[in-house]
Each structure stands twice: as structure tokens, then as C-alpha cells.
Amino acid sequence: SDVENKFATRHPNYEFHEHNFNSFVSFLHEKIDAHFLIDENVYSNSKRNRLFNPWITNGIIASVQRKIYFYEQWKKSCSDHSRHGDDELYQRYKNFRFELRKVIKQAKKTYYYKKFENVEGDMKKTWKLINELRGK
């Protein structure tokens, strides 16, 4: 085969046998399963992750964690005599949440804009992308 010939030119002392190839494939599958397999329990219950939202970046994830921190700080300030908590903490949380929502919307818009640019002129791929957006 073509692959065998290319490999033989790079590794002249290597003898190609189907058994060697099969053991290589088995080894490769083991390594992929050990290091790259996705834990289905984590991703099966939620559509709020990178598998379903590829526009989510590390920066956005860090910002979500910061929003959660602001929320927790505000909730800690809530008590029986002050049910709505510290107004300053709430405003910080509310403003950050608003800005984060805008950033996520813009990231999603940019992501799909680039995808539509890549399929420009190919109606089949364009409709496939439209149906992906529609959830079909």
C-alpha cells in the first residue's frame, strides 16, 4: 500500500507485518481511551459545555467562574433581616452577569459568522449549518 511504502522509506530496517500493524492499532486505541476519552457522565446530562457550545473559550469559562464567585458573595450577605443582601454586591454580580451574557452572545455570533464564511457558495453545507443552528 501507499502508506506502507512511505513508512518503509522512512524506516528501512522495519519489516511490515499485519500483526505489527494490528498491535500498533491496539496500542493506539488504548492510549486514546486512557488519555482522550470523554467522561460521558459529565457531558450526557448537560448541553452547557464545550462539546455543544464550541464558541465557549477559556476566558469565558474563567468569567463564568468569576460570576459564580460574585453570586456567592452576594448570597452570603443575605440573611433573615436583610433578605436581599448587600445592594453593592448584588449590583456587581448583576452588572458582571449582564456583560458576560453580551460576551457569550458575541462569541456565538462570531463563531457562526466564520462557519458561514467557510461554507459560502455550497448550498448543501449552508443548509446543514442552518439546520444545526435550528437544532434539527
Side-chain angles (χ1 to χ4, degrees):
S1 77
D2 190 39
V3 173
E4 185 179 340
N5 292 335
K6 285 181 182 179
F7 186 80
T9 57
R10 291 184 184 163
H11 306 283
N13 297 331
Y14 183 82
E15 234 179 282
F16 182 81
H17 294 290
E18 190 172 341
H19 170 71
N20 292 346
F21 180 74
N22 290 337
S23 64
F24 168 73
V25 170
S26 296
F27 173 78
L28 189 60
H29 280 289
E30 286 175 23
K31 294 302 175 187
I32 288 172
D33 288 346
H35 298 286
F36 298 105
L37 200 60
I38 296 170
D39 184 6
E40 292 180 17
N41 294 329
V42 173
Y43 291 104
S44 63
N45 297 333
S46 175
K47 288 194 173 187
R48 300 179 81 183
N49 58 53
R50 282 193 195 179
L51 283 179
F52 294 102
N53 302 312
W55 56 87
I56 300 295
T57 63
N58 289 336
I60 290 174
I61 290 171
S63 295
V64 168
Q65 294 301 318
R66 188 163 176 83
K67 179 191 78 160
I68 291 169
Y69 171 76
F70 288 153
Y71 175 78
E72 289 170 349
Q73 293 300 308
W74 168 63
K75 284 307 270 184
K76 284 180 188 175
S77 73
C78 296
S79 63
D80 289 339
H81 65 277
S82 177
R83 292 184 64 195
H84 299 292
D86 185 349
D87 193 45
E88 186 179 318
L89 291 175
Y90 177 72
Q91 286 302 318
R92 181 171 56 173
Y93 162 69
K94 181 179 159 186
N95 292 338
F96 194 85
R97 185 183 65 195
F98 177 76
E99 290 300 320
L100 179 59
R101 217 179 277 154
K102 285 190 338 189
V103 167
I104 292 171
K105 274 185 170 182
Q106 185 60 42
K108 184 176 181 180
K109 184 178 177 180
T110 302
Y111 172 79
Y112 279 109
Y113 179 79
K114 287 179 183 176
K115 286 197 75 147
F116 274 108
E117 274 186 339
N118 291 338
V119 298
E120 188 175 3
D122 187 339
M123 289 304 290
K124 186 174 182 176
K125 288 181 180 178
T126 301
W127 277 105
K128 186 176 179 183
L129 188 56
I130 289 170
N131 285 330
E132 178 185 318
L133 272 167
R134 293 178 56 220
K136 298 270 179 173

